[in-house]
Amino acid sequence: MIYLQGIKKSFNQLPVLKGINLKIEKGEVVTILGPSGSGKTTLLRCLNFLEKPNAGIVQIGNIIVDSEKATKKEMLAIRKQSAMVFQHYNLFAHKTVVENVMEGLIVAKKVKKKDARHQSERVLEKVGLSDKLHHYPSQLSGGQQQRVGIARALALNPEVILFDEPTSALDPELVGDVLSVIKSIAQEGITMVVVTHEMSFAREVSNRVLFMDEGVIVEEGTPLEIFHAAKEERTRRFLQRISGESFFTPLKEQVN
Amino acid sequence: MGKAFDLMLIIEFIPTLIQYLGITLQILAASIILGLVLGIAAAIPRLYKIPILNQLVILYVSFIRGTPILIQLFLVFYGLPAILLLLFSIDITRMEAIYFVIITYAISNGAGFSEIFRAAIRAVDYGQTEAAFSVGMTSRQNFFRIVLPQAVRIAFPNMANSVIGSLKDTSLAFTIGVMDMMGRGDTLIAATAHALEVYLSLSIIYYIIVVMFEKIFSKLEKYFNRYQKADVTAVA
């Protein structure tokens, strides 16, 4: 379970998060939508203290941290509750695929090397990369790299996996692969918070959709409520703009 | 000028001179190792912006870069005993000249290495650190397991250049009376008056050693670049 209370964050006096309150139940898949600059990625990064909030309380599982007086030890403890999948994958460049997945298990979770290797291989099989165990990230396609990123997060068996625009840096034809992997782990009941621009993913996979703008959560609800009966004008305008783009997709397909 | 040029002497001098290669390599090895320690120590205040120490290191690096190594050598050779005598009443005037050479080259290498390390550590993508934090690593674990190994790869070509430069610079040690290859060459010239032949022998020896170093470094560089894309690998 995740619980946020009064999360505030500014960069150089520019407020990016203006007091976020949020509760996420175990097993929930929550997507965060919003225009760029709305603070959705910052919110996600505040959850594992890659950004330290200026104020507010962060709770993940049974670890509670008051961000104003968060110590290094507390930040480490809360980071161990979560794992993150990055937009630009951020795989450890000097480690092979299997070593990337093992690293957190060995170093942070103190799992024995042999056990870590078994676990890692099992997770990599799940994301369809059994044949790439000893490749370096530079030898993989973007989609494969991101699946390693997902495996790295999954292997830690965290309370929650945070996805920061996991498909934004991918070639369009590779997006599907990665999304289907994320879908399949969503169905296993792992708690996930996903910042994304993939509306179809938000609609099909998430239990709850948050719409953020200008540092606040404007509206939240089930995908059905948000996509078909948004209460707020700002939400409707945003979704219209997005669907306006997808209006052309069938045309593009015809051209191809 | 000396006597008439004799090609055969070049070959004949080589075995005599090469006996002193050991001294050259000793100076090199000792000054590189001490320089590494000094370089790491000097890079830390720069990376973490430690006040006062940071400024001192900047001054140290810019002074070393801005003065010829020969003058640094004389400064240490004459200055260090004077300072130690004055401040601590320690008399090192009888210390062997080779130690002054090692100290000078360590100080000089340390300045160069500290800049190379600093740049290399900065050059590692911050995303790597974020990923390390996201899997629950501490700052220390991140530094030693993720950042440092990648920084070594980035730093290596510059380090290799420094080592080769340093090897050649050791030829100045004879100016304060160290009997290395160059020093032995000097005495050979005094004894035979065949200066050109001695310098040609010396250049052959230095050249062969440098080429061997380059070969070894290029192999090592390939190893360090094993995880990089083929088109990024730069082997000099």
Side-chain angles (χ1 to χ4, degrees), chain A residues 130-145:
Chain A
S130 290
D131 53 335
K132 304 279 184 198
L133 294 182
H134 304 294
H135 285 56
Y136 285 103
S138 62
Q139 298 165 318
L140 304 179
S141 73
Q144 290 168 334
Q145 288 190 52

Side-chain angles (χ1 to χ4, degrees), chain A:
Chain A
M1 190 199 66
I2 298 174
Y3 181 67
L4 297 180
Q5 192 186 20
I7 297 297
K8 287 184 186 160
K9 176 74 186 173
S10 324
F11 293 110
N12 305 322
Q13 268 115 57
L14 180 80
V16 177
L17 296 177
K18 299 171 183 167
I20 302 283
N21 300 311
L22 182 61
K23 199 174 169 191
I24 297 171
E25 298 297 335
K26 203 169 173 54
E28 239 188 322
V29 176
V30 175
T31 50
I32 307 178
L33 306 179
S36 57
S38 58
K40 51 194 192 309
T41 289
T42 306
L43 177 62
L44 197 71
R45 289 162 61 86
C46 281
L47 279 171
N48 65 353
F49 280 77
L50 286 184
E51 304 291 354
K52 194 175 164 208
N54 303 121
I57 289 168
V58 180
Q59 176 180 4
I60 303 180
N62 46 16
I63 307 284
I64 305 170
V65 179
D66 181 352
S67 41
E68 257 174 299
K69 38 191 176 203
T71 62
K72 274 189 180 174
K73 215 172 156 187
E74 287 176 317
M75 278 159 58
L76 187 68
I78 208 148
R79 278 176 186 155
K80 286 188 182 182
Q81 298 289 305
S82 67
M84 192 175 229
V85 175
F86 295 86
Q87 183 176 4
H88 297 287
Y89 334 128
N90 295 7
L91 299 182
F92 302 129
H94 60 309
K95 293 188 176 289
T96 62
V97 166
V98 68
E99 285 169 351
N100 260 278
V101 182
M102 287 163 66
E103 187 69 11
L105 289 173
I106 294 171
V107 180
K109 296 212 128 180
K110 310 283 180 220
V111 177
K112 282 209 190 82
K113 207 168 175 181
K114 209 175 138 194
D115 299 336
R117 187 174 290 274
H118 283 308
Q119 286 181 38
S120 302
E121 284 172 3
R122 216 175 318 132
V123 179
L124 282 162
E125 197 183 331
K126 209 185 264 182
V127 299
L129 287 171
S130 290
D131 53 335
K132 304 279 184 198
L133 294 182
H134 304 294
H135 285 56
Y136 285 103
S138 62
Q139 298 165 318
L140 304 179
S141 73
Q144 290 168 334
Q145 288 190 52
Q146 194 57 298
R147 282 187 277 153
V148 178
I150 294 167
R152 178 171 71 181
L154 203 54
L156 294 167
N157 196 21
E159 284 282 319
V160 58
I161 301 182
L162 312 169
F163 291 82
D164 182 12
E165 303 191 26
T167 58
S168 296
L170 293 172
D171 288 342
E173 78 257 34
L174 301 175
V175 170
D177 271 3
V178 171
L179 283 182
S180 66
V181 168
I182 300 176
K183 273 183 206 171
S184 74
I185 59 175
Q187 278 150 11
E188 288 178 25
I190 292 165
T191 318
M192 304 193 334
V193 183
V194 188
V195 170
T196 186
H197 293 293
E198 290 290 331
M199 294 303 142
S200 61
F201 176 81
R203 213 178 331 218
E204 290 167 32
V205 184
S206 50
N207 310 107
R208 185 147 57 114
V209 177
L210 307 182
F211 175 72
M212 279 184 75
D213 196 15
E214 292 178 357
V216 293
I217 297 176
V218 175
E219 189 168 2
E220 59 177 296
T222 63
L224 209 64
E225 287 166 347
I226 295 291
F227 286 104
H228 300 287
K231 295 189 198 80
E232 298 288 330
E233 175 61 25
R234 269 192 287 183
T235 316
R236 280 200 296 270
R237 238 186 303 143
F238 173 75
L239 291 171
Q240 224 160 40
R241 236 187 9 252
I242 298 282
S243 59
E245 279 161 28
S246 60
F247 171 76
F248 290 103
T249 347
L251 289 178
K252 276 188 210 152
E253 276 163 14
Q254 273 179 17
V255 171
N256 290 335

